[in-house]
């Protein structure tokens, strides 16, 4: 039985994707998306599942990795927007002759923090891509290969600068 195309479970993939998207955005809102323990465990889970000999586990791991990555792509876009806005504010304040030093320092600290978060998220994303998707695009099961290709297409559409560079 193909669980992804069965009438009874047809809405599961969409609900599963919505769950991971909402989960990642909630983590970002709470400031926990880059929490080291969570990222390590989540990465370990999807990598372990996707390396299984059981096809359904590989599919579940690849789907989960895809949805986690899609959430991270959205968070990366948000961080890039915030980074750009903070840089603009810092440049504007730095050009002022009577700019309050405290405000400039706060903006520099915020810029450094956002840059570090963006870098950490990019590193985690690259780890998932190389550990899961670079291996699974050659999987023997067509459904897994199709998931990998759909995922890359979705990320390229969402963030072409990040995923068309390599």
């Amino acid at each position: 039985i193909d669980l992804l195309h069965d009438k009874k479970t047809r809405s599961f993939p969409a609900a599963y994707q919505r769950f991971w998207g909402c989960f990642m955005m909630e983590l970002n809102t709470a400031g926990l998306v880059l929490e080291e323990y969570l990222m390590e465990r989540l990465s370990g889970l999807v990598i372990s599942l996707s390396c299984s000999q059981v096809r359904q586990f590989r599919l579940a791991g690849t789907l989960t990795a895809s949805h986690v990555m899609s959430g991270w792509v959205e968070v990366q876009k948000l961080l890039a927007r915030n980074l750009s806005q903070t840089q603009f504010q810092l440049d504007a304040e730095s050009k002022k002759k009577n700019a309050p030093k405290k405000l400039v320092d706060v903006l520099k600290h915020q810029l450094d923090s956002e840059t570090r978060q963006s870098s950490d998220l990019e590193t985690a994303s690259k780890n998932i891509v190389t550990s899961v998707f670079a291996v699974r695009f050659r999987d023997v099961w067509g459904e897994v290969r199709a998931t990998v290709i759909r995922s890359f297409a979705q990320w390229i559409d969402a963030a072409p600068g990040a995923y068309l560079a390599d």
Side-chain angles (χ1 to χ4, degrees):
I1 223 173
D2 187 5
L3 294 177
L4 293 179
H5 302 290
D6 186 31
K7 288 182 182 180
K8 294 178 184 175
T9 59
R10 192 171 289 163
S11 63
F12 175 75
Y16 193 61
Q17 183 174 9
R18 278 194 309 274
F19 164 76
W20 282 105
C22 291
F23 183 65
M24 287 297 137
M25 292 312 272
E26 285 295 320
L27 284 175
N28 184 49
T29 302
L32 297 173
V33 76
L34 296 171
E35 200 275 318
E36 188 176 335
Y37 180 80
L38 177 68
M39 288 180 77
E40 193 176 292
R41 296 294 177 236
L42 198 53
S43 295
L45 171 70
V46 296
I47 291 169
S48 297
L49 280 173
S50 71
C51 292
S52 174
Q53 292 183 1
V54 179
R55 286 182 180 188
Q56 287 78 7
F57 287 173
R58 285 197 316 265
L59 179 60
T62 305
L63 277 172
T64 304
S66 170
H67 300 323
V68 167
M69 280 291 299
S70 294
W72 284 352
V73 166
E74 291 303 316
V75 171
Q76 282 176 325
K77 285 174 32 180
L78 255 168
L79 281 172
R81 210 171 313 134
N82 291 345
L83 195 63
S84 174
Q85 187 176 29
T86 304
Q87 183 65 51
F88 179 78
Q89 288 175 337
L90 180 62
D91 291 344
E93 288 298 323
S94 297
K95 289 179 183 178
K96 291 181 181 177
K97 291 182 181 179
N98 302 1
K101 183 162 175 51
K102 187 175 182 178
L103 178 60
V104 171
D105 289 342
V106 167
L107 287 172
K108 283 181 181 178
H109 177 70
Q110 185 177 350
L111 186 67
D112 290 343
S113 174
E114 289 171 353
T115 302
R116 187 179 67 258
Q117 288 176 344
S118 181
S119 175
D120 290 348
L121 194 54
E122 185 178 334
T123 300
S125 297
K126 284 183 179 182
N127 181 34
I128 294 288
V129 167
T130 57
S131 299
V132 175
F133 297 99
V135 176
R136 289 297 122 217
F137 85 94
R138 289 180 254 135
D139 197 276
V140 295
W141 197 16
E143 189 69 34
V144 173
R145 290 191 311 267
T147 299
V148 170
I149 292 168
R150 276 193 304 269
S151 298
F152 271 116
Q154 183 181 19
W155 305 330
I156 288 170
D157 187 41
Y163 293 97
L164 286 177
D166 289 338

